[in-house]
Amino acid sequence: QVQLVESGGGLVQAGGSLRLSCAASGLTFSEYDLGWFRQAPGKEREFVAAISRSDSPWYNTNAVKGRFTIARDDTKNTVYLQMNSLKPEDTAVYYCVADRVFGDFLKGSGLDYWGKGTLVTVSS
């Protein structure tokens, strides 16, 4: 059974930083592309970032504009999202996602596995 478990969310002031982690189990981690989506209250789900199995990152530049960095550690079956210079509009539930087709992250559909999410709240 595949599990993706996010951690690291919480309450932070604007301008602060958080690092989200997602630990995966039940899959061959190195065979998957990994990514993060978020959903703010009352808004549609939004792609944030993804990283390929060959360690190439891709970002929603409109949303993160160089503030976020995605990384993976295949020895720990974990993907990270370092979030700096946080803004109140970054407030959302952040979801970890695993998929074998990198293009699915850009389409936002057909993704294989989702975590349950971790809440990030940025106060002004």
Side-chain angles (χ1 to χ4, degrees), residues 10-117:
L11 175 63
V12 63
Q13 288 189 331
S17 297
L18 283 174
R19 189 177 79 155
L20 305 184
S21 300
C22 171
S25 60
L27 53 74
T28 305
F29 191 78
S30 61
E31 294 180 357
Y32 282 80
D33 305 314
L34 286 304
W36 295 89
F37 283 76
R38 69 184 182 185
Q39 188 163 20
K43 294 189 176 181
E44 293 188 354
R45 186 179 65 199
E46 177 182 46
F47 168 72
V48 176
I51 187 164
S52 72
R53 68 202 74 180
S54 61
D55 218 24
S56 295
W58 189 270
Y59 298 97
N60 179 344
T61 54
N62 289 336
V64 304
K65 294 181 180 177
R67 299 182 296 122
F68 291 7
T69 302
I70 189 170
R72 63 187 292 160
D73 185 341
D74 287 6
T75 66
K76 296 181 178 179
N77 284 6
T78 301
V79 60
Y80 304 96
L81 186 68
Q82 177 67 43
M83 305 186 296
N84 299 327
S85 302
L86 283 162
K87 305 175 181 180
E89 52 263 44
D90 294 318
T91 295
V93 177
Y94 285 71
Y95 297 93
C96 175
V97 183
D99 196 88
R100 290 178 179 266
V101 179
F102 196 79
D104 288 345
F105 289 96
L106 308 182
K107 292 188 299 182
S109 62
L111 293 149
D112 292 338
Y113 302 108
W114 291 76
K116 293 183 178 180

